[in-house]
Amino acid sequence: MLIPKEDCQNLHKALYLEWLETNGRGGFASGSVAGANTRRYHALLLAANTPPVDRFVLVNHVEEWLEIEGTHIPLSTNVYDGALYPEGFRNCADFSSEPWPTWRYEVHGLCVVREVLCPHGRDAVILRWRLIAPSGGVPVTLHIRPMLSGRPFHSAHHENSQLITEAQIDEQEVSWQPYRNVPRVHAAHNGIYVHAPDWYRRIQYPVEQERGLDHEEDWWSPGEFRYALTTGQTAEIVFATDAWQQSSIDQALSKERQRRQSLRGDALSEDPLIRTLWIATDSYLASRGENRTVLAGFPWFADWGRDTFISLPGLCLVTGRHKVAWQVIEAFAGRISAGMVPNRFPDSGSEPEYNSIDASLWFIHAVDRYVRYTNDVQGVRSTIWPAIKEIVDAYRRGTRFGIHMDSDGLITGGGPSVQLTW
């Protein structure tokens, strides 16, 4: 999808057009086309400590500007209380979601391309900037200031005295750990890093304000990266929860490009809408232990049993991901309790919640669809059949919250002050 200049430079539109990059582990990067974070869930490095849950925002944002003959030209945008600063969206020529989020900025006769992508299976985000129009010999310096918090992704972060401001600095990597109980953030880069800690206060999240929630946050910025931008060279940063070698960035880019090309090539139709939906299905599949699961939605949902098994035929069987479908079925079959499939796995990583009347019935329906697509009767009989039998027996005799088969053969249930879906 291509967003043209007139929409990129229309603040109201650009703030409410959002992009999303997922990593297959429950983590993701997301933001607005304008470049400003408008939700507490917008971030560059958002990682799941126990995939796909226990998610933390580690790197919220980067402040970006070009320096040309002493003049600072912004590429990034932030919303403050009563102010918008900087206003990089005014320099945006277009935005494309293919093959990953890509912005093109035109400033002072120059053209700069910015890319953001999450490599599959890694808690990392790659950012790249390229000068694709010559500067006429005028030096161009790119400045990048990362903004960190290190907080649970449902909450907000505020200035405090407990934050650890030290950095471990090597030639091509720097790392920070603002708090002891969150993962260390590693930044592999090909620029120059200057450690200069500072606070950016009272960032506003207009979408959260519209929802009536806490909509203000403080970010800690550890320092600044500087790059001499020249035509034909790329400025790069990888923010990750593990150490990266600068040489591994090109390999990760190549691998991710091939993966996405393969995904597009597997689409069963040339129809643009079907191809778009086909590609989008990949974003909702994530790891859960040694198996796979389905995320119920972005930006805040984890895996919900009901949503998983309603969507499983379309996500995994129609698309030919039969092995993934089996892994999802196995992941939930192992957590059935009193004949009930988990309704949701909390982001805190605690025990799942069993508060759905029909999730178990959708589970059985999905297993039936799996058999029809794969004819794997033996696999189901030897592995999943005990789970199905447990569900049927529990619903016949009765289980939690008064859920049971009524005299007419239909399922009923419920109790005072108990929310059961549906």
Side-chain angles (χ1 to χ4, degrees), residues 214-248:
D214 184 5
H215 59 275
E216 188 170 283
E217 181 162 50
D218 301 329
W219 293 337
W220 176 67
S221 179
E224 182 181 306
F225 295 91
R226 297 171 186 167
Y227 302 82
L229 275 190
T230 58
T231 306
Q233 294 186 335
T234 302
E236 297 174 326
I237 300 179
V238 178
F239 295 114
T241 58
D242 60 340
W244 278 58
Q245 297 295 322
Q246 184 64 32
S247 59
S248 67

Side-chain angles (χ1 to χ4, degrees), residues 96 102 139 163 176:
S96 174
T102 303
L163 187 138
W176 318 276

Side-chain angles (χ1 to χ4, degrees), residues 17-38:
L17 291 170
E18 299 179 69
W19 57 270
L20 172 72
E21 279 281 297
T22 61
N23 67 7
R25 291 172 50 81
F28 57 90
S30 66
S32 70
V33 169
N37 290 11
T38 61

Side-chain angles (χ1 to χ4, degrees), residues 38 204-215:
T38 61
Q204 303 293 300
Y205 297 137
V207 173
E208 303 301 331
Q209 185 175 18
E210 292 169 6
R211 298 173 65 214
L213 301 175
D214 184 5
H215 59 275

Side-chain angles (χ1 to χ4, degrees), residues 27 33 41 48 72-73 136 161 199 212-214 225 324 385 388:
V33 169
Y41 304 99
H72 287 190
I73 302 168
S161 60
W199 283 94
L213 301 175
D214 184 5
F225 295 91
V324 174
W385 179 248
I388 293 175

